[in-house]
Each structure stands twice: as structure tokens, then as C-alpha cells.
Amino acid sequence: MITDKEWEANLKRLNDLAMQNEVGIKPLYEKDYLKEFYDFYEIKNRKAKLVPAEEGFEETLKNVSGEYRWEAIAEKTKSLFGLPLRVTVFDDDTKLKEELEGPDGLAPFFFVFDMMFCEYGEYTLCFISGSNN
């Protein structure tokens, strides 16, 4: 059984690697993690819904983070947390990205490219890709 301290250290290691590749990791702990996500980033337009990713974890991460950046993030995620039980994505994130981006958005990047959620039972990891360039 992993301790809270070890879990936090693993999360920091994953996030440090991911941020080098312009991907941020946000842990979500509530059962309704979409509501927690919306609340954390102060999203007003909450019409986007999550749907199961049609592709597996690796292909979805490749789509989210980019063809040349996904492999290191996937390997680190699997080694630290294992494969997620389920992967979800937004059905339509156009308006959501507009709220997350720019000088008023609270996302870790000025420009937001894509997002995915990896469910692990007691928590969910949100992967957000973007750029500050």
C-alpha cells in the first residue's frame, strides 16, 4: 500500500516530467471529478461532457500531448500509477478551452491544446497540454 507522502512524490515526479513536455497533471479526488475540475478552474460554461476515449490510454495521450512527447509521459505514468481503469475526454471542448486560456484563464498554459482524464478508482489524473509561447 502506498502512503500519501509517496503518492504525492510520485505525482510531483510525473508532473515535473510532463511539464517539460508542455503537459500539466492535475489530480482530482471527488467522485464527480468533472465538477471538481470545473470548480477548480472556475469554469462558467459547463456544457462540455465527458465521454469514454475511443482509443486506449497511450493513443489518447499521444493525441493529447503530441506525437513526439507522449512516450516518456506514458511510461512514467504507467511505472508510477499503472494503467488507468478508464480514460475519458470531452465531447466538445471548444468553449471550455476558451475559458481556460489567455490572461483570464486558470489553466497551467496560456494556450490549451487538449485534455484527458485517467480514472484510478480513488482519484483521477487530468492531463492538460498547451503552451505559453
Side-chain angles (χ1 to χ4, degrees):
M1 184 82 178
I2 190 169
T3 68
D4 289 345
K5 189 174 182 177
E6 292 169 323
W7 191 89
E8 291 293 330
N10 286 349
L11 182 62
K12 182 178 179 347
R13 283 197 292 275
L14 176 60
N15 195 50
D16 288 348
L17 170 72
M19 286 297 282
Q20 292 173 17
N21 293 283
E22 298 182 311
V23 176
I25 311 293
K26 168 70 180 134
L28 302 166
Y29 302 101
E30 294 179 17
K31 184 175 182 176
D32 185 356
Y33 63 85
L34 179 56
K35 181 184 179 313
E36 183 181 359
F37 173 85
Y38 281 152
D39 289 349
F40 180 81
Y41 288 113
E42 299 178 9
I43 302 298
K44 293 171 184 58
N45 182 347
R46 298 181 177 209
K47 293 184 180 177
K49 302 297 180 206
L50 291 175
V51 296
E54 291 181 14
E55 301 164 328
F57 166 71
E58 290 182 346
E59 280 299 312
T60 304
L61 183 59
K62 184 177 180 180
N63 292 335
V64 168
S65 62
E67 189 170 339
Y68 301 104
R69 303 182 291 183
W70 71 276
E71 286 184 275
I73 300 168
E75 289 307 313
K76 183 62 80 174
T77 302
K78 290 187 291 185
S79 71
L80 294 173
F81 299 99
L83 283 171
L85 302 173
R86 186 169 88 132
V87 178
T88 58
V89 295
F90 284 106
D91 59 350
D92 179 6
D93 60 6
T94 307
K95 296 286 185 192
L96 176 61
K97 287 178 187 175
E98 289 175 12
E99 274 195 72
L100 288 169
E101 290 183 331
D104 298 324
L106 298 177
F109 303 103
F110 193 85
F111 299 103
V112 175
F113 300 146
D114 216 340
M115 291 160 274
M116 68 186 273
F117 297 84
C118 294
E119 298 176 9
Y120 285 93
E122 295 181 14
Y123 60 90
T124 298
L125 298 178
C126 173
F127 293 71
I128 300 178
S129 67
S131 175
N132 289 323
N133 297 332

